[in-house]
Amino acid sequence: MITGIIMASGFSKRMNKDKLTLSIGEELVIEKVIKAAKESKLDEIILVYQKEQIRDIGIKYNIKTIFNPCPEKGQSESMKLGIKASDLKSRAFMFIVGDQPLLNYKTINLLIDTFNNNDNEIVVPVYREEKGSPTLFSSKLKDKLLEVEGDKGGRKIIQEMPNSVKLLSIEDFRVGLDIDTWDEYQQLIEMGMKK
């Protein structure tokens, strides 16, 4: 069993508005991410939220929703809440950011297949030579993940355990793009139309 944890409780500080509820085509950014996860081989999907609107979208797609009471603690708090809410039989956790709207189920499945077919405890996608999201961690690293602090997510563990990391090159770099600014949002809209 592999659990997908969608981290959707950030503040969108650089955007000055909730980027997860912006539209790309006929769907919201967070909806596109949820749909990619639902269409994939993930066995369990958990949405970590701070706003009711995001929770309601999760409920609409029939996925488990977990409230984050301390989003100011950064991405690590979403990770921990998701891990604690996951099925005890889960062999791995995939951490998915909520603002990566061009992510697709094929990329998620590729990460899962890579994990299943290798001995590596961590799988990280690489887009244009840059490490990105989503990342997949074996549940053997659960204790380490629960110790992570701040907004760095699992990056510290990836840096500390290079021999346990399988880097997976993703052909279509657009899949790895996330939204932090209005300009990035506009560019993603254009790219989404060309897909």
Side-chain angles (χ1 to χ4, degrees):
M1 169 174 255
I2 293 182
T3 301
I5 297 166
I6 302 174
M7 301 178 291
S9 60
F11 290 98
S12 306
K13 283 177 185 167
R14 282 184 275 176
M15 180 71 85
N16 290 325
K17 58 174 73 184
D18 190 350
K19 57 188 175 181
L20 301 185
T21 55
L22 294 172
S23 296
I24 300 236
E26 294 177 12
E27 292 168 328
L28 305 181
V29 168
I30 189 62
E31 278 190 286
K32 292 183 96 58
V33 174
I34 290 170
K35 283 177 103 171
K38 290 235 4 160
E39 289 166 11
S40 75
K41 295 177 183 177
L42 288 168
D43 301 292
E44 175 182 46
I45 302 166
I46 297 168
L47 177 73
V48 183
Y49 72 94
Q50 67 157 311
K51 293 184 178 172
E52 283 185 16
Q53 185 183 0
I54 302 296
R55 179 204 63 195
D56 293 346
I57 294 167
I59 290 168
K60 172 182 156 185
Y61 285 96
N62 198 28
I63 59 173
K64 188 187 271 189
T65 57
I66 300 292
F67 177 64
N68 182 354
C70 303
E72 68 282 353
K73 289 185 179 178
Q75 209 175 64
S76 61
E77 192 65 14
S78 289
M79 291 171 61
K80 292 175 191 177
L81 288 166
I83 291 167
K84 288 172 185 172
S86 65
D87 193 295
L88 291 172
K89 295 190 292 290
S90 191
R91 294 186 303 110
F93 311 108
M94 182 180 288
F95 299 106
I96 302 167
V97 291
D99 64 344
Q100 197 173 327
L102 302 186
L103 178 66
N104 54 47
Y105 74 91
K106 292 177 186 172
T107 304
I108 294 173
N109 288 349
L110 200 54
L111 289 160
I112 292 170
D113 291 343
T114 302
F115 175 76
N116 286 335
N117 297 321
N118 287 274
D119 294 331
N120 302 82
E121 293 177 323
I122 304 169
V123 182
V124 178
V126 177
Y127 309 95
R128 283 186 166 175
E129 299 181 19
E130 290 278 328
K131 294 185 185 88
S133 292
T135 52
L136 197 150
F137 288 78
S138 166
S139 59
K140 292 174 189 170
L141 301 174
K142 185 174 184 175
D143 290 343
K144 274 184 178 290
L145 289 163
L146 290 173
E147 288 170 5
V148 171
E149 299 288 337
D151 216 23
K152 290 268 193 271
R155 276 174 281 192
K156 188 168 181 277
I157 298 170
I158 292 167
Q159 288 163 359
E160 288 172 357
M161 302 179 63
N163 296 333
S164 299
V165 179
K166 175 73 175 173
L167 296 176
L168 182 64
S169 185
I170 306 296
E171 212 170 293
D172 186 354
F173 78 94
R174 297 176 302 177
V175 171
L177 297 174
D178 60 6
I179 300 169
D180 286 317
T181 65
W182 188 256
D183 285 345
E184 286 172 356
Y185 168 57
Q186 295 296 332
Q187 287 166 9
L188 268 171
I189 289 176
E190 287 174 29
M191 287 180 182
M193 300 299 176
K194 290 175 190 166
K195 277 189 85 179

